[in-house]
Amino acid sequence: MPVQRVVIGVDSSTQSTKALAVDVATGAVLGQGRAAHTVSEGAGRESDPEQWWRAFGEAVAGTGWADRAVAVSVAGQQHGLVALDAAGRPVRPALLWNDVRSAPQAAQLRDGFGREEIAHRTGSVPNAAFTAAKWAWLRANEPAAADRVAAVRLPHDFLTERLTGEPATDRGDASGTGWWGPAGYDREILDRIGLDPALLPPVLEPGTAVGFVGPGLPLRRGALVATGTGDNMAAALGLGLAPGQPVLSLGTSGTVYAVGRRRPTDPSGTVAGFADALGGWLPLACTLNCTLAVDRFAALLGRGRDEVEEGGTAVVLPYLDGERTPDLPGASGLVHGLRHDTTPGQLLQAAYDGAAHALLTALDDVLGAGGESPDQDVPLLLIGGGARGRAWQRTVLRLSGRAVQVPAAEELVALGAAAQAAALVTGEPADAVARRWRTAEGLVLEPVARDGEALERITDTLRRAGALQGAPERDQ
């Protein structure tokens, strides 16, 4: 009888760490663990990386396989700035992707290089989410802390290095920093923000092992450790995504992306030109306000999250934490078009529509940026925490005009990390592992007529509200 080989995939996200123990041969999930994170409130969004490490230990122990797994991989929230001292300890809490205090520094980078030039260099036009802007913010606002920094890491890099003792990152997560391009780290950008490249980890090739789990750690000593990657790249691996297959992910943030055959460089900034965790590209559009923003509207209205009603002309721009797409870091929520007969259920539906609008209107741009032709006959894969919500499903169907496929597999980021770990064991590409595991299969919802009227109503409201939301003059 063949020996069962098991790997562990980890998703260190904004709100929690999730871990899956997965059978390499079948893809069966044999155990799961979870531990919560704390995120600061107020002007910034910060978390203590030491808390992530404790949560990692709890989550992998919860799988029941920590002492037997043959390999592990960690996927993490993109863009976060982890600043470490010479002993490998955080000099301050990590600055998270949804911390918009670095918007002025992002604007300085855009203006200093020009949108065309910086998109050519890095694939993206940086906004407040990008790590480069966060480092510039730290240098400008906390110079004493910046002077103590001996290493700069992304969230998944921090955890991987704790396991192996070796600094490393991958091309997927590195592509979200704002200082990496196909030729490697961009020295001119690093000089502009005052970051010594010696503080950064090497970018390893796809499919590479960083090393082995060391002694006295939450996993079996000697287990292989993969490079890991960013959360969106891991979800693409977890789906075994083929080029041109669009994905909409509904979580704390909302993202729409597809594997592309060519490197994206969108000077408008709508599409981020990320690399994937293999050898290709992952053009992506992202919003800050997704499931949490809609849930907040439901709470304010005193309704359950699925208690929506059709009709009405109200528009909700649920920008409760500023916004990334469109790039309005200083924006706030806006409700427009209320009538005497507007119902709470109609207003809640308008919040769903407003949250989905930017992602679905950017879908063709995402596909085009990666060299793919938009094909309405290809189903939209719906994933993330909101994907099984009836109101979310109906909203995406109505506003996309596409069939929607909801994979039965859960925790796709952790599952993608598990596929990356399994690839070290089998020698397969990680996406081939996921396709063998048949992770994308699930419920298919047939398309309905696209509600272009609702999309145009939101677009028109956003255009006219530009000055109120802090849009630059050219965008009004």
Side-chain angles (χ1 to χ4, degrees), residues 82-424:
V82 183
L84 306 175
D85 64 18
R89 302 295 177 185
V91 303
R92 69 174 320 284
L95 296 167
L96 304 186
W97 61 274
N98 53 352
D99 189 323
V100 298
R101 290 176 294 178
S102 49
Q105 286 74 30
Q108 289 168 7
L109 268 176
R110 293 194 302 267
D111 295 344
F113 284 92
R115 288 174 171 265
E116 293 274 358
E117 175 65 16
I118 204 160
H120 173 73
R121 286 171 174 267
T122 69
S124 302
V125 176
N127 54 43
F130 280 64
T131 325
K134 298 187 184 306
W135 175 260
W137 182 91
L138 186 65
R139 286 222 63 90
N141 291 273
E142 299 178 10
D147 288 344
R148 292 175 52 213
V149 174
V152 170
R153 301 291 184 262
L154 296 167
H156 105 262
D157 305 339
F158 168 74
L159 296 170
T160 301
E161 190 168 355
R162 280 285 174 95
L163 288 172
T164 63
E166 297 292 335
T169 192
D170 88 303
R171 66 193 295 274
D173 217 0
S175 67
T177 59
W179 58 55
W180 180 90
Y185 291 131
D186 190 305
R187 298 301 181 96
E188 191 170 346
I189 291 175
L190 293 173
D191 287 346
R192 188 73 59 93
I193 62 175
L195 178 57
D196 183 349
L199 304 186
L200 300 176
V203 181
L204 301 188
E205 290 295 317
T208 303
V210 176
F212 302 92
V213 174
L217 296 175
L219 289 162
R220 180 182 67 82
R221 182 177 183 177
L224 281 166
V225 182
T227 57
T229 192
D231 51 3
N232 292 300
M233 297 79 195
L237 289 180
L239 291 164
L241 208 58
Q245 172 73 69
V247 178
L248 196 156
S249 177
L250 302 169
T252 304
S253 64
T255 55
V256 61
Y257 57 83
V259 171
R261 301 173 201 269
R262 75 179 181 208
R263 179 178 176 241
T265 54
D266 176 17
S268 78
T270 299
V271 179
F274 295 150
D276 69 5
L278 298 169
W281 305 98
L282 197 73
L284 178 148
C286 177
T287 61
L288 294 185
N289 298 277
C290 194
T291 57
L292 292 185
V294 173
D295 285 352
R296 182 59 181 150
F297 268 91
L300 289 170
L301 293 165
R303 298 181 76 85
R305 61 179 56 158
D306 285 325
E307 292 180 337
V308 297
E309 297 174 34
E310 297 179 354
T313 58
V315 171
V316 173
L317 304 180
Y319 304 158
L320 305 186
D321 292 305
E323 191 44 85
R324 172 168 167 173
T325 303
D327 185 15
L328 298 170
S332 57
L334 183 147
V335 179
H336 174 69
L338 288 180
R339 299 292 183 185
H340 190 80
D341 58 354
T342 301
T343 68
Q346 290 171 345
L347 197 57
L348 181 56
Q349 180 61 63
Y352 276 96
D353 289 358
H357 167 267
L359 296 170
L360 291 172
T361 53
L363 178 56
D364 286 352
D365 291 337
V366 164
L367 290 166
E372 304 297 326
S373 299
D375 184 350
Q376 284 292 113
D377 293 332
V378 177
L380 179 61
L381 293 176
L382 192 65
I383 66 171
R388 286 169 173 76
R390 292 193 305 275
W392 276 115
Q393 290 175 0
R394 289 195 294 264
T395 299
V396 174
L397 273 173
R398 182 173 55 84
L399 297 185
S400 71
R402 288 177 177 264
V404 170
Q405 182 170 330
V406 184
E410 298 182 0
E411 303 298 351
L412 284 161
V413 173
L415 196 59
Q420 194 180 49
L424 293 180

